[in-house]
């Protein structure tokens, strides 16, 4: 933490030495302020011992590991018919809890249907939201052990979902969570089901074997970041030319969060703080078809 604070202080000093246009000064100062808050908020609750719990915000890391390490099951097309042009998605379960100043509402989606692929998707989504629920309950337990009640701090967890794409080929669902602990944090997990094969797709599944899709996508995203900052001076990304972050964005992860939208476009999704200060929120970059058409494995779902 001491090293992080030193980096933030260095960032502030570098910022103060830059000549900033009058009309932008307030926006940049706010970005610096929020960046500091973001770093501080990543700590455990101040009222919970480090040996007891990590706080709900720390669930982001565990969830990322969980969602990226699950074994995927592929089914032969000859054995699985098309799931359907439109899939009915309902709320399978709602977990609600309120104890003192701690509260949570966690909705778990469910796709109706008897195909094994749908059951597999439902199981993964249920496991994901269960992880969020368990972390929240750990926070309650930790506060009670430390203070005997849940009146000494505030935590609000809200998890819900939306349908990003549902056509004859693909179903994309995003489960998003907002956590408020003084200030707010947010993160999401996207699931894309190939209705023709029954497979829950990871980003690597979209591209030809041996294709350097990581480099191709990363370069395009950097170009989009630079273009956005050029067109809108209130936008800021963690690129090497911007020293607001201790580490700049270099490459996407092998199986970065993604979804296919209704227009058939690939969208790369970054959670809050991943590639930009907190005030930028979650960041999404739509990849032009022309950028990936030579390395994509299947063009059927693209328009």
């Amino acid at each position: 933490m001491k090293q992080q604070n030193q980096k933030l202080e260095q960032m502030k000093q570098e910022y103060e030495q830059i000549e900033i246009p009058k009309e932008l000064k307030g926006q940049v100062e706010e970005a610096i302020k929020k960046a500091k808050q973001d770093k501080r908020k990543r700590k455990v609750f101040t009222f919970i011992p480090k040996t007891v719990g990590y706080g709900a915000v720390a669930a982001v890391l565990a969830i990322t590991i969980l969602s990226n390490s699950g074994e995927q099951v592929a089914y032969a097309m000859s054995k699985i018919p098309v799931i359907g042009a439109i899939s009915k998605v309902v709320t399978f379960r709602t977990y609600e809890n309120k104890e003192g100043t701690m509260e949570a509402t966690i909705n778990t989606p469910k796709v109706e249907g008897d195909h094994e692929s749908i059951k597999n998707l439902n199981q993964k989504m249920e496991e994901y939201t269960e992880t969020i629920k368990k972390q929240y309950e750990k926070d309650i337990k930790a506060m009670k052990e430390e203070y005997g009640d849940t009146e000494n701090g505030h935590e609000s967890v809200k998890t819900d979902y939306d349908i990003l794409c549902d056509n004859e080929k693909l179903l994309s669902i995003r489960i998003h969570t907002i956590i408020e602990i003084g200030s707010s944090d947010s993160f999401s997990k996207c699931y894309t089901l190939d209705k023709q094969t029954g497979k829950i797709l990871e980003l690597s599944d979209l591209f030809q074997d041996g294709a350097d899709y990581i480099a191709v996508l990363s370069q395009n995203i950097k170009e989009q970041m630079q273009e956005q900052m050029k067109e809108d001076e209130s936008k800021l990304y963690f690129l090497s030319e911007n020293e607001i972050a201790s580490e700049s964005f270099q490459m996407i992860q092998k199986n970065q969060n993604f979804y296919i939208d209704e227009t058939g476009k690939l969208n790369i999704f970054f959670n809050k703080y991943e590639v930009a200060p907190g005030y930028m929120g979650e960041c999404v970059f739509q990849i032009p078809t022309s950028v990936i058409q030579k390395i994509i494995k299947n063009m059927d779902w693209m328009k």
Side-chain angles (χ1 to χ4, degrees):
M1 182 54 65
K2 180 178 180 181
Q3 185 178 4
Q4 289 180 339
N5 290 336
Q6 289 174 343
K7 289 180 179 179
L8 286 169
E9 184 61 30
Q10 179 183 358
M11 177 186 67
K12 179 182 178 183
Q13 292 173 359
E14 291 172 349
Y15 155 72
E16 290 173 344
Q17 294 172 2
I18 299 173
E19 185 175 350
I20 303 174
K22 183 177 180 181
E23 62 272 18
L24 290 179
K25 188 172 182 180
Q27 294 175 348
V28 179
E29 287 178 341
E30 183 64 18
I32 297 294
K33 179 180 177 182
K34 288 182 177 293
K36 285 188 175 184
Q37 293 173 344
D38 296 345
K39 291 289 185 179
R40 288 197 297 268
K41 188 156 62 63
R42 288 292 180 176
K43 299 189 297 182
V44 297
F45 288 146
T46 56
F47 49 81
I48 295 180
K50 294 183 180 180
T51 57
V52 176
Y54 292 95
V57 178
V60 179
L61 177 60
I63 290 166
T64 301
I65 293 173
L66 173 69
S67 60
N68 287 335
S69 62
E71 180 179 355
Q72 293 194 344
V73 182
Y75 300 90
M77 286 184 64
S78 60
K79 295 182 180 180
I80 295 186
V82 175
I83 292 171
I86 301 297
S87 305
K88 186 175 182 180
V89 182
V90 298
T91 298
F92 166 67
R93 180 184 63 200
T94 297
Y95 169 83
E96 292 183 310
N97 176 273
K98 182 172 176 57
E99 294 189 40
T101 57
M102 308 279 284
E103 60 180 342
T105 301
I106 301 172
N107 290 320
T108 300
K110 176 183 178 180
V111 182
E112 293 192 338
D114 296 326
H115 294 290
E116 286 301 314
S117 58
I118 292 179
K119 293 179 181 179
N120 185 36
L121 174 60
N122 288 337
Q123 179 180 349
K124 287 183 178 295
M125 293 190 296
E126 184 178 358
E127 289 172 351
Y128 177 83
T129 57
E130 183 67 17
T131 303
I132 300 173
K133 171 192 167 186
K134 286 182 177 179
Q135 185 59 58
Y136 168 77
E137 291 176 341
K138 284 182 181 179
D139 292 344
I140 291 179
K141 181 180 178 181
M143 187 184 293
K144 287 181 177 179
E145 289 177 351
E146 180 70 6
Y147 293 102
D149 57 35
T150 55
E151 302 292 341
N152 288 277
H154 171 75
E155 178 179 353
S156 172
V157 179
K158 295 180 180 179
T159 298
D160 211 342
Y161 61 90
D162 47 24
I163 312 304
L164 303 173
C165 178
D166 187 8
N167 55 36
E168 68 278 5
K169 298 182 179 70
L170 298 171
L171 171 65
S172 288
I173 299 175
R174 177 177 72 117
I175 302 178
H176 53 93
T177 299
I178 298 175
I179 299 176
E180 294 181 353
I181 311 173
S183 54
S184 66
D185 193 3
S186 63
F187 53 91
S188 297
K189 172 60 184 171
C190 301
Y191 295 89
T192 296
L193 176 66
D194 185 334
K195 293 183 178 182
Q196 299 293 331
T197 67
K199 186 174 186 178
I200 301 173
L201 298 174
E202 292 190 347
L203 184 59
S204 57
D205 295 324
L206 304 181
F207 298 96
Q208 300 168 17
D209 294 341
D212 193 2
Y213 69 93
I214 293 178
V216 172
L217 295 176
S218 298
Q219 180 59 35
N220 180 259
I221 290 168
K222 288 179 183 178
E223 292 172 359
Q224 290 193 46
M225 288 177 174
Q226 292 166 343
E227 187 63 28
Q228 288 183 27
M229 289 189 296
K230 184 185 300 183
E231 294 178 354
D232 186 348
E233 293 177 314
S234 69
K235 291 189 175 182
L236 186 64
Y237 291 103
F238 294 155
L239 294 175
S240 57
E241 58 265 33
N242 299 321
E243 299 179 356
I244 190 172
S246 57
E247 294 184 7
S248 60
F249 168 68
Q250 299 296 332
M251 294 283 182
I252 63 171
Q253 299 178 24
K254 179 181 178 181
N255 287 306
Q256 184 73 39
N257 230 354
F258 80 96
Y259 65 88
I260 311 299
D261 62 27
E262 288 289 358
T263 69
K265 294 291 193 302
L266 170 63
N267 291 259
I268 302 298
F269 190 99
F270 294 94
N271 285 319
K272 195 173 179 179
Y273 311 112
E274 274 194 90
V275 294
Y279 79 92
M280 292 280 288
E282 297 170 322
C283 300
V284 181
F285 297 89
Q286 186 182 86
I287 307 300
T289 302
S290 59
V291 171
I292 56 175
Q293 60 185 359
K294 292 183 179 180
I295 61 173
I296 204 76
K297 184 181 293 184
N298 186 353
M299 297 286 289
D300 290 347
W301 49 265
M302 302 182 72
K303 296 181 182 180

